Amino acid sequence: MAEATKALDWEEYRKWLFDNKSQIHAKYTFKSSRKYHHLAFSHELVLMPQSRKKLDVLKGLANLTRFLDIKNDTEFHDEFTKWLKKKEIKWRINVKSKNYWMANNVSIEKIVENIRKLPEKYQIFAMFVLVSGLRTSEAIDAFNNHDKICHNGILEIFTDRNTKKTNAVYCHPFLHDKINFKISNTGTYRNLNSKYLGCEIRYLRKLNYTLIAMKIDGMMAQFMQGRKGDVSQRHYFLPMMSQNQKKWNKLWNKILKS
């Protein structure tokens, strides 16, 4: 494989990724592939601690081997997946243990404190992600289309991407009038890095769910995070959201203005 990567046209590989993946996924996969391609079939990869970085390396190598097979009619990808199995290299980190550690070491108060140290526009967006409980890509879309989808303090989104659904979430009055600019993928991942937030940005969604489920209503928390219900049940859940809106605002007032 080393010889194949030496002869590789990286720009052609990059184009293939962007033609077949989402822009943000393609960008990070290409970066990982180019930086770590030498780790394929290596003892160094076997010894690398199981972490998100290792998962990124594996994804980069898996995509690279698949491209080489398509380009050169080789079988690197099959060989790589068999090698991973033989070396007992897992594709997943231990999510439960990580979540347990986060729950016991990262408080919502500490996260809010870290958010307040960010540049102003990313303070606003990070708070929006936290209070909405949306996935990062969903939060960016909702934030950038706020004026179109925010009605009486409720963002009606209702999207369905196979296993990932989005229904409706609240828009906090404290943030509503401040959402008057656009946010980008690149800026988001650069400024909301875990070294600034104190956790990965996606953990804000978990904090949100735990708070809403415990303090307001578990079923409503599931609906807002797309775990329950869909657009066909909006007439059942939206009135429930309206009934709990003042309680929700009051709950977040204590956190956002503390």
Side-chain angles (χ1 to χ4, degrees):
M1 182 171 161
E3 292 300 319
T5 52
K6 282 182 182 179
L8 176 64
D9 183 339
W10 286 99
E11 188 56 36
E12 185 180 13
Y13 171 57
R14 181 180 181 279
K15 184 179 184 302
W16 177 78
L17 285 173
F18 276 84
D19 286 344
N20 292 279
K21 311 287 182 183
S22 68
Q23 186 174 3
I24 193 72
H25 187 191
K27 177 182 176 181
Y28 285 101
T29 299
F30 178 76
K31 183 179 179 181
S32 180
S33 300
R34 189 156 196 177
K35 186 174 182 179
Y36 298 110
H37 64 86
H38 64 284
L39 293 180
F41 304 101
S42 72
H43 189 56
E44 186 179 349
L45 181 58
V46 176
L47 296 179
M48 185 181 289
Q50 201 70 9
S51 62
R52 178 149 294 277
K53 176 184 175 181
K54 187 172 185 177
L55 293 184
D56 290 340
V57 172
L58 292 175
K59 290 175 185 177
L61 294 176
N63 279 280
L64 179 59
T65 54
R66 189 177 294 280
F67 175 77
L68 289 172
D69 287 353
I70 295 170
K71 176 73 175 175
N72 303 316
D73 197 24
T74 52
E75 296 184 1
F76 290 129
H77 187 74
D78 283 344
E79 291 172 8
F80 183 61
T81 53
K82 289 176 182 177
W83 179 81
L84 292 177
K85 186 175 182 179
K86 180 180 179 181
K87 297 297 183 179
E88 298 184 347
I89 297 176
K90 307 296 183 183
W91 281 91
R92 298 184 63 186
I93 57 177
N94 191 333
V95 176
K96 289 185 178 179
S97 63
K98 184 173 182 180
N99 286 348
Y100 178 81
W101 183 89
M102 292 292 286
N104 285 277
N105 291 275
V106 180
S107 68
I108 195 167
E109 291 78 14
K110 179 60 178 176
I111 296 301
V112 171
E113 181 183 330
N114 291 339
I115 288 175
R116 290 201 174 103
K117 298 175 184 176
L118 298 172
E120 184 178 6
K121 65 184 293 186
Y122 291 102
Q123 283 185 41
I124 296 169
F125 179 67
M127 289 293 192
F128 177 79
V129 178
L130 177 62
V131 303
S132 69
L134 293 169
R135 300 175 184 89
T136 309
S137 60
E138 296 166 352
I140 292 172
D141 288 342
F143 191 91
N144 289 339
N145 292 284
H146 172 264
D147 291 345
K148 299 177 183 177
I149 61 176
C150 186
H151 306 290
N152 299 317
I154 295 178
L155 297 164
E156 297 185 35
I157 306 169
F158 295 107
T159 59
D160 189 343
R161 298 178 294 155
N162 296 323
T163 59
K164 295 182 178 180
K165 296 181 180 180
T166 314
N167 293 320
V169 296
Y170 293 114
C171 178
H172 197 280
F174 179 72
L175 299 173
H176 180 81
D177 292 334
K178 296 181 180 181
I179 304 176
N180 53 16
F181 57 91
K182 304 294 184 183
I183 209 82
S184 69
N185 283 317
T186 303
T188 295
Y189 285 98
R190 182 188 300 123
N191 289 276
L192 272 62
N193 190 287
S194 59
K195 65 183 178 182
Y196 304 128
L197 275 181
C199 67
E200 293 180 22
I201 185 173
R202 61 188 184 141
Y203 187 70
L204 301 184
R205 176 175 167 84
K206 299 181 186 296
L207 286 173
N208 175 283
Y209 178 80
T210 301
L211 185 69
I212 302 306
M214 290 179 61
K215 301 291 186 179
I216 300 182
D217 185 275
M219 185 179 293
M220 193 179 76
Q222 290 186 50
F223 172 74
M224 290 197 297
Q225 295 220 346
R227 304 182 187 188
K228 180 185 289 290
D230 52 35
V231 66
S232 66
Q233 294 175 293
R234 63 192 298 176
H235 299 297
Y236 172 77
F237 283 102
L238 289 180
M240 181 192 294
M241 289 185 68
S242 296
Q243 292 168 11
N244 285 284
Q245 192 165 8
K246 287 184 179 179
K247 188 176 181 180
W248 183 90
N249 285 337
K250 186 176 180 180
L251 175 65
W252 283 106
N253 280 340
K254 295 178 182 178
I255 296 169
L256 298 180
K257 298 180 180 180
S258 60

PDB file of all heavy atoms in Angstrom, residues 178-206:
ATOM      1  N   LYS A 178     -30.591  38.261  19.577  1.00  0.00           N
ATOM      2  CA  LYS A 178     -29.152  38.278  19.282  1.00  0.00           C
ATOM      3  C   LYS A 178     -28.798  37.433  18.058  1.00  0.00           C
ATOM      4  O   LYS A 178     -27.677  37.502  17.557  1.00  0.00           O
ATOM      5  CB  LYS A 178     -28.368  37.764  20.498  1.00  0.00           C
ATOM      6  CG  LYS A 178     -28.512  38.650  21.736  1.00  0.00           C
ATOM      7  CD  LYS A 178     -27.691  38.105  22.896  1.00  0.00           C
ATOM      8  CE  LYS A 178     -27.832  38.997  24.125  1.00  0.00           C
ATOM      9  NZ  LYS A 178     -27.022  38.498  25.264  1.00  0.00           N
ATOM     10  N   ILE A 179     -29.755  36.648  17.604  1.00  0.00           N
ATOM     11  CA  ILE A 179     -29.494  35.785  16.446  1.00  0.00           C
ATOM     12  C   ILE A 179     -29.761  36.589  15.179  1.00  0.00           C
ATOM     13  O   ILE A 179     -30.830  36.518  14.567  1.00  0.00           O
ATOM     14  CB  ILE A 179     -30.369  34.511  16.498  1.00  0.00           C
ATOM     15  CG1 ILE A 179     -30.137  33.761  17.813  1.00  0.00           C
ATOM     16  CG2 ILE A 179     -30.058  33.594  15.314  1.00  0.00           C
ATOM     17  CD1 ILE A 179     -31.027  32.551  18.009  1.00  0.00           C
ATOM     18  N   ASN A 180     -28.787  37.397  14.811  1.00  0.00           N
ATOM     19  CA  ASN A 180     -28.928  38.274  13.644  1.00  0.00           C
ATOM     20  C   ASN A 180     -27.720  38.173  12.715  1.00  0.00           C
ATOM     21  O   ASN A 180     -27.384  39.112  11.998  1.00  0.00           O
ATOM     22  CB  ASN A 180     -29.134  39.725  14.091  1.00  0.00           C
ATOM     23  CG  ASN A 180     -28.057  40.191  15.059  1.00  0.00           C
ATOM     24  OD1 ASN A 180     -26.998  39.565  15.181  1.00  0.00           O
ATOM     25  ND2 ASN A 180     -28.317  41.283  15.755  1.00  0.00           N
ATOM     26  N   PHE A 181     -27.049  37.019  12.748  1.00  0.00           N
ATOM     27  CA  PHE A 181     -25.896  36.782  11.883  1.00  0.00           C
ATOM     28  C   PHE A 181     -25.858  35.298  11.532  1.00  0.00           C
ATOM     29  O   PHE A 181     -26.594  34.496  12.106  1.00  0.00           O
ATOM     30  CB  PHE A 181     -24.594  37.207  12.577  1.00  0.00           C
ATOM     31  CG  PHE A 181     -24.361  36.519  13.904  1.00  0.00           C
ATOM     32  CD1 PHE A 181     -23.646  35.328  13.982  1.00  0.00           C
ATOM     33  CD2 PHE A 181     -24.869  37.061  15.087  1.00  0.00           C
ATOM     34  CE1 PHE A 181     -23.442  34.693  15.196  1.00  0.00           C
ATOM     35  CE2 PHE A 181     -24.670  36.429  16.310  1.00  0.00           C
ATOM     36  CZ  PHE A 181     -23.948  35.242  16.361  1.00  0.00           C
ATOM     37  N   LYS A 182     -25.015  34.955  10.581  1.00  0.00           N
ATOM     38  CA  LYS A 182     -24.890  33.562  10.145  1.00  0.00           C
ATOM     39  C   LYS A 182     -23.657  32.922  10.776  1.00  0.00           C
ATOM     40  O   LYS A 182     -22.702  33.603  11.138  1.00  0.00           O
ATOM     41  CB  LYS A 182     -24.785  33.470   8.616  1.00  0.00           C
ATOM     42  CG  LYS A 182     -25.933  34.136   7.864  1.00  0.00           C
ATOM     43  CD  LYS A 182     -27.251  33.435   8.108  1.00  0.00           C
ATOM     44  CE  LYS A 182     -28.363  34.081   7.266  1.00  0.00           C
ATOM     45  NZ  LYS A 182     -29.683  33.474   7.529  1.00  0.00           N
ATOM     46  N   ILE A 183     -23.700  31.611  10.866  1.00  0.00           N
ATOM     47  CA  ILE A 183     -22.589  30.854  11.442  1.00  0.00           C
ATOM     48  C   ILE A 183     -22.132  29.826  10.410  1.00  0.00           C
ATOM     49  O   ILE A 183     -22.935  29.349   9.605  1.00  0.00           O
ATOM     50  CB  ILE A 183     -23.030  30.170  12.764  1.00  0.00           C
ATOM     51  CG1 ILE A 183     -21.848  29.999  13.719  1.00  0.00           C
ATOM     52  CG2 ILE A 183     -23.721  28.861  12.521  1.00  0.00           C
ATOM     53  CD1 ILE A 183     -21.534  31.244  14.495  1.00  0.00           C
ATOM     54  N   SER A 184     -20.848  29.486  10.414  1.00  0.00           N
ATOM     55  CA  SER A 184     -20.323  28.532   9.430  1.00  0.00           C
ATOM     56  C   SER A 184     -19.842  27.256  10.111  1.00  0.00           C
ATOM     57  O   SER A 184     -19.541  27.249  11.310  1.00  0.00           O
ATOM     58  CB  SER A 184     -19.161  29.148   8.647  1.00  0.00           C
ATOM     59  OG  SER A 184     -18.029  29.323   9.489  1.00  0.00           O
ATOM     60  N   ASN A 185     -19.757  26.186   9.334  1.00  0.00           N
ATOM     61  CA  ASN A 185     -19.229  24.922   9.855  1.00  0.00           C
ATOM     62  C   ASN A 185     -17.801  25.086  10.344  1.00  0.00           C
ATOM     63  O   ASN A 185     -17.448  24.659  11.445  1.00  0.00           O
ATOM     64  CB  ASN A 185     -19.260  23.846   8.758  1.00  0.00           C
ATOM     65  CG  ASN A 185     -20.644  23.285   8.529  1.00  0.00           C
ATOM     66  OD1 ASN A 185     -21.379  23.014   9.467  1.00  0.00           O
ATOM     67  ND2 ASN A 185     -21.012  23.110   7.276  1.00  0.00           N
ATOM     68  N   THR A 186     -16.980  25.710   9.510  1.00  0.00           N
ATOM     69  CA  THR A 186     -15.561  25.854   9.840  1.00  0.00           C
ATOM     70  C   THR A 186     -15.367  26.656  11.117  1.00  0.00           C
ATOM     71  O   THR A 186     -14.625  26.254  12.018  1.00  0.00           O
ATOM     72  CB  THR A 186     -14.811  26.547   8.684  1.00  0.00           C
ATOM     73  OG1 THR A 186     -15.004  25.796   7.482  1.00  0.00           O
ATOM     74  CG2 THR A 186     -13.325  26.635   8.987  1.00  0.00           C
ATOM     75  N   GLY A 187     -16.044  27.786  11.203  1.00  0.00           N
ATOM     76  CA  GLY A 187     -15.927  28.627  12.393  1.00  0.00           C
ATOM     77  C   GLY A 187     -16.430  27.931  13.640  1.00  0.00           C
ATOM     78  O   GLY A 187     -15.859  28.080  14.729  1.00  0.00           O
ATOM     79  N   THR A 188     -17.488  27.153  13.484  1.00  0.00           N
ATOM     80  CA  THR A 188     -18.059  26.433  14.623  1.00  0.00           C
ATOM     81  C   THR A 188     -17.066  25.441  15.204  1.00  0.00           C
ATOM     82  O   THR A 188     -16.795  25.440  16.410  1.00  0.00           O
ATOM     83  CB  THR A 188     -19.341  25.690  14.195  1.00  0.00           C
ATOM     84  OG1 THR A 188     -20.327  26.649  13.813  1.00  0.00           O
ATOM     85  CG2 THR A 188     -19.877  24.840  15.338  1.00  0.00           C
ATOM     86  N   TYR A 189     -16.511  24.595  14.350  1.00  0.00           N
ATOM     87  CA  TYR A 189     -15.604  23.561  14.850  1.00  0.00           C
ATOM     88  C   TYR A 189     -14.273  24.137  15.322  1.00  0.00           C
ATOM     89  O   TYR A 189     -13.605  23.549  16.169  1.00  0.00           O
ATOM     90  CB  TYR A 189     -15.386  22.493  13.776  1.00  0.00           C
ATOM     91  CG  TYR A 189     -16.588  21.583  13.629  1.00  0.00           C
ATOM     92  CD1 TYR A 189     -17.527  21.792  12.620  1.00  0.00           C
ATOM     93  CD2 TYR A 189     -16.811  20.547  14.526  1.00  0.00           C
ATOM     94  CE1 TYR A 189     -18.645  20.977  12.503  1.00  0.00           C
ATOM     95  CE2 TYR A 189     -17.921  19.729  14.421  1.00  0.00           C
ATOM     96  CZ  TYR A 189     -18.833  19.946  13.409  1.00  0.00           C
ATOM     97  OH  TYR A 189     -19.941  19.138  13.309  1.00  0.00           O
ATOM     98  N   ARG A 190     -13.903  25.293  14.792  1.00  0.00           N
ATOM     99  CA  ARG A 190     -12.660  25.923  15.234  1.00  0.00           C
ATOM    100  C   ARG A 190     -12.832  26.583  16.602  1.00  0.00           C
ATOM    101  O   ARG A 190     -11.966  26.466  17.476  1.00  0.00           O
ATOM    102  CB  ARG A 190     -12.203  26.970  14.221  1.00  0.00           C
ATOM    103  CG  ARG A 190     -10.867  27.629  14.602  1.00  0.00           C
ATOM    104  CD  ARG A 190     -10.529  28.792  13.693  1.00  0.00           C
ATOM    105  NE  ARG A 190     -10.426  28.382  12.308  1.00  0.00           N
ATOM    106  CZ  ARG A 190     -11.135  28.902  11.311  1.00  0.00           C
ATOM    107  NH1 ARG A 190     -12.030  29.848  11.562  1.00  0.00           N
ATOM    108  NH2 ARG A 190     -10.977  28.490  10.077  1.00  0.00           N
ATOM    109  N   ASN A 191     -13.944  27.263  16.795  1.00  0.00           N
ATOM    110  CA  ASN A 191     -14.142  28.039  18.021  1.00  0.00           C
ATOM    111  C   ASN A 191     -14.831  27.270  19.142  1.00  0.00           C
ATOM    112  O   ASN A 191     -14.710  27.645  20.308  1.00  0.00           O
ATOM    113  CB  ASN A 191     -14.951  29.299  17.704  1.00  0.00           C
ATOM    114  CG  ASN A 191     -14.157  30.318  16.919  1.00  0.00           C
ATOM    115  OD1 ASN A 191     -13.409  31.112  17.482  1.00  0.00           O
ATOM    116  ND2 ASN A 191     -14.307  30.301  15.598  1.00  0.00           N
ATOM    117  N   LEU A 192     -15.564  26.219  18.783  1.00  0.00           N
ATOM    118  CA  LEU A 192     -16.231  25.421  19.807  1.00  0.00           C
ATOM    119  C   LEU A 192     -15.505  24.098  20.005  1.00  0.00           C
ATOM    120  O   LEU A 192     -16.102  23.055  20.239  1.00  0.00           O
ATOM    121  CB  LEU A 192     -17.701  25.184  19.440  1.00  0.00           C
ATOM    122  CG  LEU A 192     -18.682  26.271  19.919  1.00  0.00           C
ATOM    123  CD1 LEU A 192     -18.350  27.619  19.298  1.00  0.00           C
ATOM    124  CD2 LEU A 192     -20.107  25.895  19.583  1.00  0.00           C
ATOM    125  N   ASN A 193     -14.201  24.166  19.917  1.00  0.00           N
ATOM    126  CA  ASN A 193     -13.353  23.003  20.153  1.00  0.00           C
ATOM    127  C   ASN A 193     -13.442  22.592  21.620  1.00  0.00           C
ATOM    128  O   ASN A 193     -13.665  23.428  22.497  1.00  0.00           O
ATOM    129  CB  ASN A 193     -11.911  23.368  19.782  1.00  0.00           C
ATOM    130  CG  ASN A 193     -10.993  22.171  19.750  1.00  0.00           C
ATOM    131  OD1 ASN A 193     -10.635  21.626  20.789  1.00  0.00           O
ATOM    132  ND2 ASN A 193     -10.607  21.762  18.556  1.00  0.00           N
ATOM    133  N   SER A 194     -13.244  21.319  21.886  1.00  0.00           N
ATOM    134  CA  SER A 194     -13.358  20.820  23.263  1.00  0.00           C
ATOM    135  C   SER A 194     -12.354  21.478  24.210  1.00  0.00           C
ATOM    136  O   SER A 194     -12.608  21.592  25.409  1.00  0.00           O
ATOM    137  CB  SER A 194     -13.177  19.298  23.294  1.00  0.00           C
ATOM    138  OG  SER A 194     -11.914  18.928  22.773  1.00  0.00           O
ATOM    139  N   LYS A 195     -11.232  21.940  23.678  1.00  0.00           N
ATOM    140  CA  LYS A 195     -10.244  22.579  24.560  1.00  0.00           C
ATOM    141  C   LYS A 195     -10.742  23.929  25.067  1.00  0.00           C
ATOM    142  O   LYS A 195     -10.245  24.440  26.077  1.00  0.00           O
ATOM    143  CB  LYS A 195      -8.904  22.738  23.842  1.00  0.00           C
ATOM    144  CG  LYS A 195      -8.902  23.665  22.648  1.00  0.00           C
ATOM    145  CD  LYS A 195      -7.524  23.675  21.989  1.00  0.00           C
ATOM    146  CE  LYS A 195      -7.498  24.563  20.745  1.00  0.00           C
ATOM    147  NZ  LYS A 195      -6.183  24.542  20.074  1.00  0.00           N
ATOM    148  N   TYR A 196     -11.723  24.510  24.371  1.00  0.00           N
ATOM    149  CA  TYR A 196     -12.327  25.759  24.833  1.00  0.00           C
ATOM    150  C   TYR A 196     -13.609  25.498  25.629  1.00  0.00           C
ATOM    151  O   TYR A 196     -13.856  26.137  26.655  1.00  0.00           O
ATOM    152  CB  TYR A 196     -12.660  26.668  23.645  1.00  0.00           C
ATOM    153  CG  TYR A 196     -11.485  26.979  22.754  1.00  0.00           C
ATOM    154  CD1 TYR A 196     -11.561  26.789  21.375  1.00  0.00           C
ATOM    155  CD2 TYR A 196     -10.286  27.457  23.287  1.00  0.00           C
ATOM    156  CE1 TYR A 196     -10.480  27.069  20.548  1.00  0.00           C
ATOM    157  CE2 TYR A 196      -9.200  27.734  22.465  1.00  0.00           C
ATOM    158  CZ  TYR A 196      -9.302  27.531  21.102  1.00  0.00           C
ATOM    159  OH  TYR A 196      -8.235  27.804  20.293  1.00  0.00           O
ATOM    160  N   LEU A 197     -14.418  24.554  25.136  1.00  0.00           N
ATOM    161  CA  LEU A 197     -15.697  24.265  25.790  1.00  0.00           C
ATOM    162  C   LEU A 197     -15.543  23.460  27.075  1.00  0.00           C
ATOM    163  O   LEU A 197     -16.331  23.583  27.997  1.00  0.00           O
ATOM    164  CB  LEU A 197     -16.609  23.484  24.839  1.00  0.00           C
ATOM    165  CG  LEU A 197     -17.453  24.256  23.834  1.00  0.00           C
ATOM    166  CD1 LEU A 197     -18.289  23.291  23.016  1.00  0.00           C
ATOM    167  CD2 LEU A 197     -18.346  25.270  24.522  1.00  0.00           C
ATOM    168  N   GLY A 198     -14.525  22.599  27.085  1.00  0.00           N
ATOM    169  CA  GLY A 198     -14.377  21.686  28.216  1.00  0.00           C
ATOM    170  C   GLY A 198     -15.029  20.348  27.937  1.00  0.00           C
ATOM    171  O   GLY A 198     -15.000  19.438  28.771  1.00  0.00           O
ATOM    172  N   CYS A 199     -15.624  20.212  26.755  1.00  0.00           N
ATOM    173  CA  CYS A 199     -16.228  18.957  26.306  1.00  0.00           C
ATOM    174  C   CYS A 199     -16.442  19.071  24.805  1.00  0.00           C
ATOM    175  O   CYS A 199     -16.348  20.163  24.240  1.00  0.00           O
ATOM    176  CB  CYS A 199     -17.561  18.693  27.011  1.00  0.00           C
ATOM    177  SG  CYS A 199     -18.869  19.870  26.553  1.00  0.00           S
ATOM    178  N   GLU A 200     -16.734  17.948  24.158  1.00  0.00           N
ATOM    179  CA  GLU A 200     -17.067  18.005  22.737  1.00  0.00           C
ATOM    180  C   GLU A 200     -18.402  18.712  22.575  1.00  0.00           C
ATOM    181  O   GLU A 200     -19.285  18.601  23.429  1.00  0.00           O
ATOM    182  CB  GLU A 200     -17.146  16.590  22.155  1.00  0.00           C
ATOM    183  CG  GLU A 200     -15.804  15.875  22.130  1.00  0.00           C
ATOM    184  CD  GLU A 200     -15.915  14.477  21.544  1.00  0.00           C
ATOM    185  OE1 GLU A 200     -16.880  14.222  20.791  1.00  0.00           O
ATOM    186  OE2 GLU A 200     -15.050  13.643  21.836  1.00  0.00           O
ATOM    187  N   ILE A 201     -18.553  19.416  21.479  1.00  0.00           N
ATOM    188  CA  ILE A 201     -19.771  20.202  21.262  1.00  0.00           C
ATOM    189  C   ILE A 201     -21.020  19.327  21.310  1.00  0.00           C
ATOM    190  O   ILE A 201     -22.073  19.749  21.789  1.00  0.00           O
ATOM    191  CB  ILE A 201     -19.692  20.981  19.925  1.00  0.00           C
ATOM    192  CG1 ILE A 201     -20.914  21.892  19.771  1.00  0.00           C
ATOM    193  CG2 ILE A 201     -19.536  20.058  18.747  1.00  0.00           C
ATOM    194  CD1 ILE A 201     -20.831  22.820  18.578  1.00  0.00           C
ATOM    195  N   ARG A 202     -20.912  18.091  20.852  1.00  0.00           N
ATOM    196  CA  ARG A 202     -22.088  17.218  20.838  1.00  0.00           C
ATOM    197  C   ARG A 202     -22.558  16.849  22.240  1.00  0.00           C
ATOM    198  O   ARG A 202     -23.696  16.428  22.427  1.00  0.00           O
ATOM    199  CB  ARG A 202     -21.800  15.949  20.038  1.00  0.00           C
ATOM    200  CG  ARG A 202     -20.682  15.098  20.592  1.00  0.00           C
ATOM    201  CD  ARG A 202     -20.340  13.974  19.643  1.00  0.00           C
ATOM    202  NE  ARG A 202     -19.337  13.102  20.226  1.00  0.00           N
ATOM    203  CZ  ARG A 202     -19.349  11.790  20.100  1.00  0.00           C
ATOM    204  NH1 ARG A 202     -20.312  11.200  19.428  1.00  0.00           N
ATOM    205  NH2 ARG A 202     -18.402  11.054  20.639  1.00  0.00           N
ATOM    206  N   TYR A 203     -21.690  17.027  23.246  1.00  0.00           N
ATOM    207  CA  TYR A 203     -22.092  16.713  24.618  1.00  0.00           C
ATOM    208  C   TYR A 203     -23.105  17.728  25.148  1.00  0.00           C
ATOM    209  O   TYR A 203     -23.844  17.442  26.085  1.00  0.00           O
ATOM    210  CB  TYR A 203     -20.865  16.658  25.530  1.00  0.00           C
ATOM    211  CG  TYR A 203     -21.184  16.167  26.925  1.00  0.00           C
ATOM    212  CD1 TYR A 203     -21.536  14.834  27.139  1.00  0.00           C
ATOM    213  CD2 TYR A 203     -21.170  17.028  28.017  1.00  0.00           C
ATOM    214  CE1 TYR A 203     -21.858  14.383  28.409  1.00  0.00           C
ATOM    215  CE2 TYR A 203     -21.484  16.582  29.285  1.00  0.00           C
ATOM    216  CZ  TYR A 203     -21.824  15.256  29.477  1.00  0.00           C
ATOM    217  OH  TYR A 203     -22.148  14.808  30.734  1.00  0.00           O
ATOM    218  N   LEU A 204     -23.166  18.909  24.536  1.00  0.00           N
ATOM    219  CA  LEU A 204     -24.151  19.912  24.957  1.00  0.00           C
ATOM    220  C   LEU A 204     -25.565  19.354  24.800  1.00  0.00           C
ATOM    221  O   LEU A 204     -26.459  19.668  25.588  1.00  0.00           O
ATOM    222  CB  LEU A 204     -23.997  21.192  24.127  1.00  0.00           C
ATOM    223  CG  LEU A 204     -22.633  21.900  24.188  1.00  0.00           C
ATOM    224  CD1 LEU A 204     -22.679  23.192  23.383  1.00  0.00           C
ATOM    225  CD2 LEU A 204     -22.222  22.178  25.622  1.00  0.00           C
ATOM    226  N   ARG A 205     -25.756  18.534  23.791  1.00  0.00           N
ATOM    227  CA  ARG A 205     -27.058  17.899  23.550  1.00  0.00           C
ATOM    228  C   ARG A 205     -27.427  16.967  24.703  1.00  0.00           C
ATOM    229  O   ARG A 205     -28.581  16.919  25.132  1.00  0.00           O
ATOM    230  CB  ARG A 205     -26.989  17.141  22.223  1.00  0.00           C
ATOM    231  CG  ARG A 205     -28.216  16.330  21.847  1.00  0.00           C
ATOM    232  CD  ARG A 205     -28.008  15.749  20.452  1.00  0.00           C
ATOM    233  NE  ARG A 205     -28.970  14.719  20.118  1.00  0.00           N
ATOM    234  CZ  ARG A 205     -30.183  14.949  19.633  1.00  0.00           C
ATOM    235  NH1 ARG A 205     -30.582  16.185  19.439  1.00  0.00           N
ATOM    236  NH2 ARG A 205     -31.001  13.957  19.340  1.00  0.00           N
ATOM    237  N   LYS A 206     -26.448  16.249  25.217  1.00  0.00           N
ATOM    238  CA  LYS A 206     -26.693  15.333  26.335  1.00  0.00           C
ATOM    239  C   LYS A 206     -27.030  16.111  27.607  1.00  0.00           C
ATOM    240  O   LYS A 206     -27.907  15.717  28.377  1.00  0.00           O
ATOM    241  CB  LYS A 206     -25.462  14.445  26.565  1.00  0.00           C
ATOM    242  CG  LYS A 206     -25.093  13.563  25.382  1.00  0.00           C
ATOM    243  CD  LYS A 206     -23.880  12.712  25.694  1.00  0.00           C
ATOM    244  CE  LYS A 206     -23.400  11.940  24.472  1.00  0.00           C
ATOM    245  NZ  LYS A 206     -24.404  10.964  24.000  1.00  0.00           N
TER     246      LYS A 206
END
